[in-house]
Amino acid sequence: MELVRLTIVANPEEAELVRSLLRTEGIEALVKQTNYGAGTMDGYSGGEQEILVRPTDLESAKALIAIQ
């Protein structure tokens, strides 16, 4: 299934907070690290995280996290 970007957040902790909020409303979300800094060898898996949802959930998800 195709997913669309809901937002990009600053770090994994913020991504998990958003994902948990969405989950409480029945919206499944996928979190993945952005390409920024991908391939670095320092072992750090932090940094910006992209949150993806189903296209049919996008408007509801935006309303929940107040993104316009």
Side-chain angles (χ1 to χ4, degrees):
M1 164 168 277
E2 178 184 340
L3 299 174
V4 294
R5 180 187 299 162
L6 171 62
T7 190
I8 295 177
V9 296
N11 55 55
E13 292 80 13
E14 188 176 349
E16 190 52 41
L17 286 173
V18 171
R19 187 176 178 195
S20 293
L21 173 64
L22 296 171
R23 190 179 310 129
T24 63
E25 296 297 322
I27 299 173
E28 291 298 318
L30 174 71
V31 175
K32 71 175 195 172
Q33 187 170 0
T34 64
N35 288 337
Y36 180 74
T40 59
M41 301 307 255
D42 63 2
Y44 179 64
S45 62
E48 291 184 336
Q49 306 287 305
E50 183 175 28
I51 300 175
L52 306 167
V53 297
R54 292 184 193 114
T56 55
D57 291 331
L58 183 59
E59 292 307 314
S60 297
K62 281 182 179 181
L64 279 171
I65 63 171
I67 292 179
Q68 301 302 319

